[in-house]
């Protein structure tokens, strides 16, 4: 049974992706979300093979109609992906889509013969996941220093490392935060609702940019508003959007991405295949969040770091808890996560520099850690009631005011910390190759943390301050 937070976020993403019917997968679990009635295939012969095979398969089934198999979007694009309709998205409920599952089964023999995957669900790619960050932001007084604090490095226009953040857009008042003076890019389309309440995820990209700029001041950061709709986009569109982002200003030195999805497989996302192959041929280093499912299941695109052909091109990042000694309760883990960094209760810029802005919590905290950890984690502290969790209940959702800074937790935020450390290493060592800088950083690192009983590389910025951790 999918946990409470996942069900709450599923409903919110369903509303934001209006007109797209969604289901949980592979069953009523918390693994991933995908589009009902549709599968993905590579353009050309493979798409035709998928169509023909699925049509034959469904023609023999009494409850399925062959005419349902039709090409949903025949145009060719840079991602090289075609959406193929295999059923009526209006049938069934959110617990799964048996027509999509049938289409995947029908292609197994062909996939075995070809030696590679030919068909895929159309997954929802979201801000580092279970479709939500590790928690919701908590207001911090402007007088409090950011954590990590700003490193003692000057910004040099000629040597600044080029960093691209793929996320949601910058808040309109981000430039009032001194560390973001050299940050540019897209602004958030709509920050507040009709009542003037800050919408969920607004400030996520700004918060990430602030962390990056603190760890590595000698950076030119560009933020792209690629994940504007509740931090979610369909896999069939994501590859194309990534191409748009990197080609608009040229491929950067470092691409910081705090989004992804599991897919129940170990060979990546079909919709990102073309982009990842293009990335492999460039100099860009992709630093990607491992996700917040508290799971060892590969989370893509971060898990590309475990595939030999992408090991140099991708650096996957998990989150450490507040004291930096152990893994955060929410952080994904496993051999595909190459490094961990502080990711719990970090302090950075959000919004409200032009004046306080209200926010209503969407999710209630839990009595205990939802992942079974025994320390006082972000699942249960600080306490608040949320509008989604307490719908129809007596409890009134809690409201807070943001006035510039916030604390926030998630692998979303451990990721820009590591991206910043790579950029800082490039500046210090006059290294122009970001992939070589990442290799050097990991090779020279002597610090470790414990995650699920394993000793893992821990990358802790010198300006980061541990947060006291107590038992629940």
């Amino acid at each position: 049974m999918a946990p409470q937070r996942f069900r709450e976020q599923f409903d919110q993403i369903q509303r934001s992706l209006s007109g797209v019917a969604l289901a949980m997968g592979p069953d009523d679990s918390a693994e991933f979300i995908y589009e009902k009635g549709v599968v993905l295939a590579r353009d050309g012969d493979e798409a035709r093979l998928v169509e023909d095979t699925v049509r034959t398969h469904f023609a023999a089934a009494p409850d399925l109609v062959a005419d349902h198999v039709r090409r949903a979007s025949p145009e060719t694009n840079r991602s090289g992906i075609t959406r193929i309709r295999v059923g009526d998205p209006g049938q069934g409920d959110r617990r799964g889509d048996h027509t999509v599952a049938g289409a995947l089964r029908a292609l197994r023999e062909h996939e075995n013969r070809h030696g590679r995957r030919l068909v895929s669900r159309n997954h929802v790619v979201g801000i580092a996941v279970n479709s939500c960050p590790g928690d919701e932001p908590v207001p911090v007084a402007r007088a409090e220093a950011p954590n990590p604090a700003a490193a003692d490095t000057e910004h040099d226009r000629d040597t600044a490392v080029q960093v691209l953040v793929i996320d949601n857009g910058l808040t309109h008042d981000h430039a009032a935060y001194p560390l973001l003076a050299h940050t540019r890019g897209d602004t958030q389309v709509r920050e507040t609702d009709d009542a003037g309440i800050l919408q969920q995820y607004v400030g996520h990209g700004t918060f990430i940019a602030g962390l990056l700029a603190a760890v590595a001041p000698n950076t030119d950061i560009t933020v792209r508003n690629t994940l504007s709709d509740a931090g979610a986009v369909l896999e069939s569109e994501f590859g194309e959007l990534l191409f748009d982002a990197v080609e608009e200003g040229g491929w950067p030195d470092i691409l910081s991405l705090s989004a992804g999805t599991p897919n129940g497989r170990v060979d990546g996302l079909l919709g990102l295949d073309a982009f990842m192959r293009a990335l492999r041929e460039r100099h860009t280093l992709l630093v990607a969040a491992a996700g917040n499912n508290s799971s060892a299941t590969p989370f893509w695109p971060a898990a590309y770091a475990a595939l030999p052909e992408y090991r140099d091109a991708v650096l996957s990042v998990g989150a450490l808890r507040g004291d930096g000694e152990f893994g955060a309760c929410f952080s994904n883990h496993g051999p595909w996560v190459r490094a961990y960094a502080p990711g719990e209760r970090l302090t950075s810029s959000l919004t409200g520099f032009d004046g306080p802005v209200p926010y209503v919590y969407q999710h209630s905290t839990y009595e205990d850690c939802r992942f079974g950890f025994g320390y006082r984690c972000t699942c249960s502290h600080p306490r608040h009631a949320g509008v989604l969790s307490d719908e129809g209940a007596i409890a009134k959702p809690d409201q807070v005011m943001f006035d510039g800074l916030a604390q926030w937790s998630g692998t979303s935020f451990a990721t820009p910390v590591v991206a910043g450390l790579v950029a800082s290493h490039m500046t210090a060592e006059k290294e122009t190759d970001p992939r070589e800088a990442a290799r050097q950083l990991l090779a020279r690192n002597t610090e470790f943390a414990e995650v699920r009983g394993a000793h893992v590389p821990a990358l802790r910025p010198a300006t980061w301050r541990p947060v006291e951790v107590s038992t629940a």
Side-chain angles (χ1 to χ4, degrees):
M1 181 69 175
Q4 173 186 328
R5 182 71 62 89
F6 186 70
R7 287 182 276 114
E8 293 167 4
Q9 289 301 103
F10 178 92
D11 291 339
Q12 190 169 39
I13 288 173
Q14 179 65 87
R15 287 193 294 272
S16 72
L17 297 179
S18 58
V20 179
L22 301 176
M24 299 177 185
D27 46 34
D28 187 17
S29 67
E31 190 166 340
F32 51 73
I33 300 172
Y34 66 98
E35 184 181 11
K36 292 171 65 178
V38 167
V39 296
L40 304 183
R42 296 179 185 86
D43 288 339
D45 292 342
E46 290 189 15
R48 284 187 285 275
L49 173 61
V50 170
E51 269 193 304
D52 292 343
T53 303
V54 173
R55 183 176 290 111
T56 300
H57 174 80
F58 283 175
D63 57 339
L64 297 170
V65 181
D67 289 344
H68 282 174
V69 183
R70 62 180 179 82
R71 199 176 298 271
S73 56
E75 70 276 7
T76 300
N77 54 47
R78 288 169 296 181
S79 66
I81 291 298
T82 293
R83 292 171 66 249
I84 299 173
R85 176 126 172 230
V86 297
D88 183 355
Q91 296 295 313
D93 56 31
R94 68 183 187 179
R95 290 174 295 181
D97 187 332
H98 69 285
T99 58
V100 170
L104 300 182
R105 288 194 299 271
L107 268 295
R108 283 178 186 167
E109 182 178 343
H110 291 284
E111 289 182 330
N112 291 337
R113 191 179 309 132
H114 283 74
R116 71 170 181 170
R117 183 165 37 146
L118 301 175
V119 66
S120 167
R121 291 180 174 90
N122 191 15
H123 303 89
V124 172
V125 179
I127 285 176
V129 89
N130 216 329
S131 313
C132 55
D135 64 353
E136 291 177 85
V138 177
V140 170
R142 286 196 193 187
E144 186 168 330
N147 189 20
D152 187 18
T153 305
E154 296 294 327
H155 179 269
D156 178 11
R157 191 176 188 177
D158 295 328
T159 63
V161 178
Q162 303 300 308
V163 183
L164 175 63
V165 174
I166 303 292
D167 210 86
N168 62 10
L170 294 161
T171 52
H172 75 282
D173 52 359
H174 72 276
Y177 187 57
L179 285 174
L180 296 182
H182 305 290
T183 299
R184 59 186 178 182
D186 306 327
T187 54
Q188 184 76 27
V189 175
R190 190 181 184 201
E191 295 181 10
T192 60
D193 62 17
D194 293 340
I197 305 295
L198 195 67
Q199 299 193 101
Q200 192 172 24
Y201 302 125
V202 168
H204 193 266
T206 305
F207 195 92
I208 286 170
L211 292 171
L212 249 166
V215 177
N218 191 31
T219 49
D220 282 337
I221 301 170
T222 302
V223 178
R224 288 287 166 237
N225 188 24
T226 303
L227 299 167
S228 57
D229 292 330
V233 67
L234 290 172
E235 179 182 340
S236 56
E237 301 171 5
F238 193 45
E240 191 76 7
L241 290 171
L242 289 176
F243 274 119
D244 287 342
V246 297
E247 291 176 358
E248 182 169 347
W251 287 77
D253 296 314
I254 299 171
L255 195 164
S256 180
L257 177 63
S258 293
T261 181
N263 67 350
R265 297 182 61 101
V266 295
D267 54 357
L269 297 174
L270 196 62
L272 287 191
D273 185 54
F275 178 81
M276 294 304 298
R277 284 188 282 108
L279 171 74
R280 190 173 58 195
E281 302 306 316
R282 301 283 180 163
H283 81 290
T284 299
L285 173 71
L286 170 60
V287 184
N292 303 328
N293 293 332
S294 192
S295 169
T297 300
F299 184 82
W300 307 96
Y304 280 100
L307 302 183
E309 62 268 39
Y310 293 105
R311 184 168 179 80
D312 289 340
V314 182
L315 179 53
S316 48
V317 182
L320 300 176
R321 72 184 195 181
D323 61 6
E325 298 298 327
F326 297 89
C329 69
F330 51 79
S331 181
N332 284 350
H333 53 91
W336 54 274
V337 183
R338 296 186 59 198
Y340 291 78
E344 191 172 64
R345 299 190 176 110
L346 300 182
T347 301
S348 182
S349 57
L350 191 74
T351 191
F353 291 99
D354 286 349
V357 58
Y359 177 74
V360 175
Y361 281 105
Q362 300 297 296
H363 308 286
S364 297
T365 46
Y366 295 71
E367 290 298 324
D368 301 297
C369 175
R370 58 188 166 166
F371 302 116
F373 281 62
Y375 75 98
R376 201 180 189 196
C377 66
T378 56
C379 296
S380 58
H381 180 80
R383 304 289 295 172
H384 53 252
V387 64
L388 298 178
S389 303
D390 295 302
E391 186 176 354
I394 296 175
K396 180 181 178 182
D398 292 328
Q399 179 175 305
V400 292
M401 301 294 290
F402 283 102
D403 191 24
L405 300 182
Q407 278 190 346
W408 215 344
S409 305
T411 58
S412 283
F413 312 124
T415 297
V417 168
V418 171
L421 286 172
V422 175
S424 180
H425 183 88
M426 292 176 68
T427 296
E429 301 296 327
K430 296 182 171 54
E431 175 60 65
T432 59
D433 182 349
R435 298 181 183 182
E436 177 59 27
R439 285 192 291 269
Q440 293 174 6
L441 185 67
L442 291 173
R444 298 176 189 179
N445 177 62
T446 59
E447 297 186 14
F448 294 85
E450 185 175 322
V451 176
R452 308 290 179 132
H455 290 279
V456 300
L459 301 176
R460 306 181 185 96
T463 59
W464 168 75
R465 305 182 306 279
V467 177
E468 183 179 351
V469 171
S470 60
T471 57

